[in-house]
Amino acid sequence: MSILQKLVLASGSPRRIELLQQAGIEPDRVLPADVDETPQRAEHPRSLAKRLSKDKAEKALASLKSEEDYAPAFVLAADTVVAVGRRILPKAETIDDAINCLGLLSGRSHRVYSGVCLITPGGKLRQRLVETRVRFKRLPREEIDAYVASGEWHGKAGGYAVQGLAGSFVVKLVGSYTNVVGLPLYESVALLSGEGFKAHKNWHVARP
């Protein structure tokens, strides 16, 4: 008799949900984990991404402890950080945030780090860190203003969404594209599959 596997995604990000669905994985539950995302003093962007993904997974797991149906679930969490050198860019919440981020990224390279954390039904914690290098073209002020007017930047790390209008800013991208969107698919699916989650169980019903 097969054991019914359940997957909890510790994020309310529509982009992460869509990416999992792209890979044929439908979370049984979406459980956003609200954690303090303030970087610690002198914290490297890589360390921040790993720490926050772990914090989110553990917080989601703790909230499931009282629920018998979801206590033995796989819990998947991720956090994405955009950085220029060691400088961590914010998740843009204001127009000034967006303008400042885009001005800093204009005509230069930056790195996108995603920490992915999986906690198995048996309590094993597994993590991956993925890094992608991205170079933007030079952005004239009128183009920055037009992008800001779109509102697409709101709540996005680094003040942009590569899967939207800002895709036209990218001169070069080295590494995982889905990482820049918010969830590196190869590493996430590999983590799940490596721990016995049947990630491909729904592929027979996939539609082109």
Side-chain angles (χ1 to χ4, degrees):
M1 178 176 166
S2 62
I3 298 174
L4 181 62
Q5 296 181 323
K6 293 189 176 179
L7 174 64
V8 174
L9 178 64
S11 171
S13 164
R15 298 170 301 284
R16 292 188 178 123
I17 296 169
E18 289 167 3
L19 284 167
L20 281 178
Q21 291 171 336
Q22 178 184 322
I25 299 172
E26 189 72 46
D28 295 283
R29 185 164 175 186
V30 173
L31 187 62
D34 184 23
V35 301
D36 182 0
E37 299 188 1
T38 305
Q40 296 174 352
R41 183 176 178 83
E43 187 170 25
H44 193 281
R46 297 167 63 93
S47 302
L48 177 63
K50 285 189 71 175
R51 176 173 66 83
L52 291 181
S53 66
K54 180 173 180 286
D55 288 351
K56 290 177 179 180
E58 290 178 338
K59 185 163 185 177
L61 180 65
S63 68
L64 294 170
K65 291 295 187 184
S66 61
E67 302 185 32
E68 291 184 6
D69 288 346
Y70 282 95
F74 290 85
V75 178
L76 183 70
D79 190 81
T80 301
V81 173
V82 175
V84 176
R86 291 181 62 100
R87 180 173 176 177
I88 297 169
L89 276 62
K91 287 184 170 68
E93 297 296 341
T94 68
I95 288 175
D96 283 345
D97 285 344
I99 291 172
N100 290 338
C101 285
L102 293 168
L104 185 63
L105 297 175
S106 174
R108 50 194 310 192
S109 295
H110 61 278
R111 295 176 189 258
V112 180
Y113 302 94
S114 283
V116 181
C117 182
L118 176 69
I119 302 179
T120 70
K124 186 188 297 183
L125 189 149
R126 299 283 306 279
Q127 282 191 283
R128 291 284 187 275
L129 180 76
V130 182
E131 174 185 333
T132 303
R133 287 176 289 162
V134 183
R135 182 174 181 83
F136 271 14
K137 69 176 185 176
R138 189 184 67 80
L139 301 174
R141 182 54 194 254
E142 59 267 25
E143 195 162 357
I144 290 176
D145 289 343
Y147 186 70
V148 169
S150 76
E152 192 180 81
W153 50 270
H154 190 264
K156 307 295 194 302
Y160 74 93
V162 74
Q163 70 276 21
L165 299 169
S168 65
F169 300 162
V170 178
V171 174
K172 187 175 183 180
L173 187 151
V174 180
S176 168
Y177 170 79
T178 54
N179 174 42
V180 185
V181 179
L183 184 72
L185 273 185
Y186 167 73
E187 290 79 8
S188 299
V189 174
L191 271 180
L192 286 162
S193 298
E195 293 303 325
F197 183 83
K198 299 186 183 306
H200 309 132
K201 62 183 177 182
N202 294 323
W203 280 21
H204 66 287
V205 296
R207 295 289 184 269

